[in-house]
Amino acid sequence: MADYTLDDLLYLMSRLRDPKDGCPWDRVQDFSTIVPHTIEESYELADAIEQGDMQHIHEELGDVLFQVVFYSQLGKEQGSFDFASVISNLVAKLVRRHPHVFPDGTLQSRVGEQTKDTEAIKQTWETIKTAEREGKQQQSVLDDVPSAFPALIRATKLQKRAAQTGFDWDNIDGVLAKLKEEVDELIEAREQQSQQQIEAELGDVLFSVVNLSRHLKVDAESSLRATNKKFENRFQYIESVLQSRGTTAEQSSLAEMDTLWDEAKAKGL
């Protein structure tokens, strides 16, 4: 197998988009049509990392890189940007956001005694990002939180951004009280049998749970993904045991499945 380079990848991309002898599918793509593939590849990479499958991670990293190369080719064709400018912009931004590593703003700069205060580093990072947003003349601090984010991630981002202005609970007790308030309102909406209000109040409950996660310093998305996996493992255990008994979940009672669920839990699944 040949050892290809980044230059080979960029050439391959230009060939795929060639109007004369390129790939018919690649030629008709644009920024918007590639987005679903980018999201899919990113999730596949996240899944490979979660599984700890290094070979799969290796492969998925290539697929994610190809998304960047594809967008860069589209930008080059429109005269907006190319892969080289994407890299240059990225390096400049990272140097700017790491003054504790590059104090004079160049890759060649060195520091003496480097700070090990991660909270101070994080605060500096956020301060620099805030200054960058101000340079973009946004009307709201929330303007650049992408609407395409998964809901849990976007809720976390919105809350963090608002918190930077001081709009946040002073302590976790206030967050817990708010969560209880929202649950009570959901119960009331259910009693009134208002589906529209139920949906609205359930959204408030979920938003409050994300807020609780943030104050507990737990990533809501990762936490839920872990719970999804735990549920999957335990339910598959139920299915496996039932199959060994010559039956199925549909043919079993809830009590029987609950017992098997407890068995799975005791096994650490």
Side-chain angles (χ1 to χ4, degrees):
M1 183 176 178
D3 291 328
Y4 293 112
T5 67
L6 179 57
D7 286 339
D8 292 323
L9 178 58
L10 295 174
Y11 172 72
L12 179 148
M13 186 70 254
S14 65
R15 281 290 307 277
L16 291 176
R17 290 281 297 177
D18 189 279
K20 295 182 179 179
D21 60 356
C23 170
W25 185 88
D26 289 283
R27 286 203 307 261
V28 299
Q29 303 307 311
D30 57 29
F31 284 99
S32 60
T33 62
I34 296 298
V35 169
H37 301 281
T38 306
I39 295 173
E40 179 181 334
E41 297 296 355
S42 297
Y43 276 119
E44 288 180 358
L45 172 59
D47 185 65
I49 293 173
E50 195 171 274
Q51 299 299 323
D53 186 339
M54 297 307 294
Q55 183 176 352
H56 196 195
I57 292 172
H58 184 218
E59 179 182 348
E60 295 303 335
L61 281 170
D63 292 341
V64 171
L65 174 60
F66 184 68
Q67 301 301 304
V68 178
V69 169
F70 208 135
Y71 290 120
S72 298
Q73 177 65 29
L74 295 175
K76 182 178 181 180
E77 291 170 6
Q78 295 182 11
S80 301
F81 57 84
D82 59 14
F83 188 78
S85 65
V86 169
I87 296 299
S88 179
N89 185 64
L90 173 62
V91 172
K93 180 170 65 176
L94 292 176
V95 168
R96 183 172 64 250
R97 291 182 180 180
H98 290 82
H100 54 289
V101 179
F102 309 106
D104 66 4
T106 69
L107 282 175
Q108 290 70 37
S109 59
R110 292 288 188 273
V111 294
E113 183 65 24
Q114 190 180 70
T115 178
K116 294 180 173 59
D117 186 343
T118 56
E119 283 303 314
I121 292 172
K122 182 179 178 181
Q123 184 56 50
T124 298
W125 175 280
E126 293 299 336
T127 299
I128 293 172
K129 288 178 66 177
T130 298
E132 291 173 355
R133 287 194 294 271
E134 290 174 350
K136 297 177 182 178
Q137 298 181 331
Q138 296 178 185
Q139 294 184 335
S140 168
V141 296
L142 308 179
D143 280 349
D144 63 345
V145 179
S147 58
F149 271 163
L152 287 179
I153 295 177
R154 189 162 196 265
T156 302
K157 291 285 187 181
L158 290 171
Q159 292 171 8
K160 285 183 177 179
R161 194 65 61 78
Q164 291 173 13
T165 71
F167 188 72
D168 198 8
W169 297 100
D170 293 330
N171 54 63
I172 200 168
D173 291 334
V175 182
L176 289 168
K178 183 63 176 177
L179 176 57
K180 182 180 183 302
E181 175 188 325
E182 298 296 356
V183 171
D184 289 341
E185 291 179 0
L186 174 60
I187 293 173
E188 182 181 349
R190 181 173 176 270
E191 291 173 348
Q192 296 174 353
Q193 297 184 334
S194 169
Q195 188 61 30
Q196 182 177 1
Q197 194 63 21
I198 288 172
E199 291 180 6
E201 296 300 343
L202 181 58
D204 291 345
V205 170
L206 292 172
F207 194 82
S208 294
V209 169
V210 171
N211 210 0
L212 178 61
S213 300
R214 184 172 60 86
H215 279 264
L216 290 172
K217 301 187 184 306
V218 173
D219 181 75
E221 183 75 18
S222 298
S223 179
L224 184 56
R225 283 172 62 87
T227 295
N228 287 342
K229 185 60 179 177
K230 181 169 60 179
F231 178 87
E232 182 180 15
N233 290 339
R234 292 177 182 176
F235 190 77
Q236 287 175 344
Y237 173 82
I238 293 173
E239 291 178 312
S240 176
V241 173
L242 291 175
Q243 184 179 23
S244 70
R245 297 175 181 176
T247 186
T248 65
E250 291 82 0
Q251 297 168 334
S252 305
S253 67
L254 179 58
E256 184 179 7
M257 288 191 285
D258 275 340
T259 299
L260 292 175
W261 177 275
D262 290 337
E263 283 184 17
K265 186 176 181 180
K267 291 177 180 291
L269 297 178

